[in-house]
Amino acid sequence: MATLNPAPSSLGLSSPALGPWFKDGTNATPTLAAPASDCSVAVSLAAGMEWHAGASGVVSYAFADTPRPAVLAPLRGADGEVAFADDELIVLLTLLPEVELRLAALSSQVPSPDGNAVPAGS
């Protein structure tokens, strides 16, 4: 490994650590499957299990129904149809605007997988 000069530890920089998304006092955490075609991920949490958002945002709870609640109405699945099956509880985390801006700024510095420069504003 290359020696960095000055050593990063001497710069006084820090970044937030990501905590666990699920916590119940044990090391057992739920395994999340890939999203279904309607964008849902079924999760069964044990009694007393806590869920923690990965970033600051607003959590909304809504039941998918017909007609769709306003918070779910604009969401679509990969096929263009409404996201989520009817009669399901949906927990939607909407990131705060400043979090979205920070993530966009951070991800703009990540090179593309093919090595080409990422276009500005992407």
Side-chain angles (χ1 to χ4, degrees):
M1 179 177 230
T3 302
L4 300 177
N5 188 6
S9 60
S10 70
L11 298 176
L13 302 174
S14 64
S15 64
L18 291 177
W21 280 42
F22 298 95
K23 181 179 178 184
D24 72 349
T26 70
N27 291 331
T29 56
T31 300
L32 301 178
S37 61
D38 68 351
C39 298
S40 65
V41 177
V43 179
S44 248
L45 300 180
M49 177 79 68
E50 298 175 8
W51 171 75
H52 301 276
S56 297
V58 176
V59 175
S60 303
Y61 296 86
F63 278 99
D65 203 357
T66 303
R68 287 285 193 249
V71 70
L72 300 179
L75 302 177
R76 297 282 177 251
D79 59 1
E81 296 297 319
V82 294
F84 314 113
D86 283 347
D87 302 322
E88 296 290 337
L89 173 64
I90 308 302
V91 181
L92 182 66
L93 174 69
T94 304
L95 295 176
L96 294 176
E98 55 270 26
V99 174
E100 288 186 27
L101 288 172
R102 181 68 178 143
L103 289 173
L106 289 171
S107 64
S108 70
Q109 302 304 313
V110 177
S112 67
D114 62 7
N116 293 325
V118 178
S122 295

